[in-house]
Amino acid sequence: GQQVMQIPQYQHVQEGEDFTTYCNSSTTLSNIQWYKQRPGGHPVFLIQLVKSGEVKKQKRLTFQFGEAKKNSSLHITATQTTDVGTYFCAVSGSARQLTFGSGTQLTVLP
Amino acid sequence: DAGVIQSPRHEVTEMGQEVTLRCKPISGHNSLFWYRQTMMRGLELLIYFNNNVPIDDSGMPEDRFSAKMPNASFSTLKIQPSEPRDSAVYFCASNPGQGNSPLHFGNGTRLTVT
């Protein structure tokens, strides 16, 4: 099935600093989804990107899909303690099953 | 909408015992997914049903694992016999099954096999 590399694995930032996580694939993706999992919780859908070069924003979160549709990023501006959690990208396989990246665990230091 | 409902939330069992995890998907969702999450392997897809039919079970670790979906509102994941390496959080998720709809996850079952 589809595989996607996600980096970094961990990120510690001071509150107010920015944060970025990246997903990369060796093959062209039809779409990419992003999820957030709070500590002790379950993954929650954030957004889906479909078009080449697409950029979507949700308040302080900016999501980008690469022009070649092989990479994507999630950028958080001015992190807050409420941003703590693990952020996953996920890509669709041929049978519509979702394969998740390894996740980036974000810690925000107050 | 109650969301995806999983039970139990926590399960502690001894090696060799049978474990059954349960899931009720969101009403109207045609696709159901079982994932396993561990620190070492992350979120792994175990099996995926569409309209109650298993579509992809290539992620099921071995014959000790089996999953059923007898109707549109219920699915089980059974491990028999359980082993300590099966300890993980097991998530059930559902979606409408159209296009690339987002997944709605349940709260998960944390399984500990001693």
Side-chain angles (χ1 to χ4, degrees):
Chain A
Q2 284 279 15
Q3 293 204 356
V4 61
M5 296 291 294
Q6 189 171 358
I7 56 171
Q9 188 174 1
Y10 302 98
Q11 186 79 60
H12 296 243
V13 299
Q14 288 291 141
E15 189 173 15
E17 291 182 341
D18 292 355
F19 159 78
T20 305
T21 174
Y22 302 89
C23 279
N24 297 292
S25 170
S26 58
T27 59
T28 302
L29 303 170
S30 59
N31 66 87
I32 192 163
Q33 298 181 11
W34 285 92
Y35 291 76
K36 176 184 178 181
Q37 184 176 20
R38 293 182 187 274
H42 58 275
V44 175
F45 173 75
L46 293 176
I47 211 158
Q48 177 169 253
L49 305 173
V50 178
K51 300 177 183 177
S52 167
E54 188 170 17
V55 178
K56 287 189 176 180
K57 293 191 175 184
Q58 290 179 350
K59 297 184 180 178
R60 294 177 294 103
L61 277 61
T62 302
F63 303 84
Q64 294 191 13
F65 204 6
E67 292 291 340
K69 299 182 73 173
K70 289 185 176 182
N71 56 72
S72 181
S73 65
L74 158 58
H75 180 82
I76 303 178
T77 303
T79 54
Q80 299 175 359
T81 54
T82 53
D83 296 324
V84 164
T86 302
Y87 293 84
F88 294 95
C89 61
V91 298
S92 300
S94 57
R96 298 182 184 170
Q97 72 277 37
L98 268 185
T99 299
F100 284 77
S102 53
T104 297
Q105 186 175 319
L106 172 64
T107 301
V108 179
L109 306 171
Chain B
D1 185 355
V4 176
I5 299 173
Q6 290 187 247
S7 64
R9 288 297 308 275
H10 302 272
E11 176 81 36
V12 180
T13 191
E14 291 184 346
M15 182 175 66
Q17 297 298 305
E18 177 179 298
V19 175
T20 300
L21 311 182
R22 297 172 174 80
C23 176
K24 176 178 168 54
I26 291 174
S27 177
H29 281 191
N30 296 326
S31 295
L32 183 142
F33 304 76
W34 283 100
Y35 283 87
R36 177 172 68 177
Q37 187 174 38
T38 60
M39 288 293 292
M40 291 297 296
R41 301 175 69 88
L43 267 168
E44 301 174 276
L45 176 65
L46 300 178
I47 188 168
Y48 151 44
F49 292 87
N50 191 45
N51 292 322
N52 313 338
V53 176
I55 303 299
D56 181 2
D57 65 354
S58 59
M60 295 287 265
E62 46 197 273
D63 292 347
R64 297 184 298 105
F65 284 68
S66 62
K68 294 182 179 180
M69 192 163 186
N71 57 62
S73 59
F74 184 65
S75 177
T76 59
L77 177 67
K78 186 177 294 187
I79 308 173
Q80 166 64 19
S82 58
E83 296 182 2
R85 60 192 169 122
D86 301 330
S87 297
V89 180
Y90 290 81
F91 287 105
C92 175
S94 70
N95 72 12
Q98 300 163 354
N100 297 301
S101 309
L103 293 184
H104 298 256
F105 281 81
N107 288 328
T109 295
R110 180 173 294 277
L111 173 64
T112 302
V113 183
T114 60

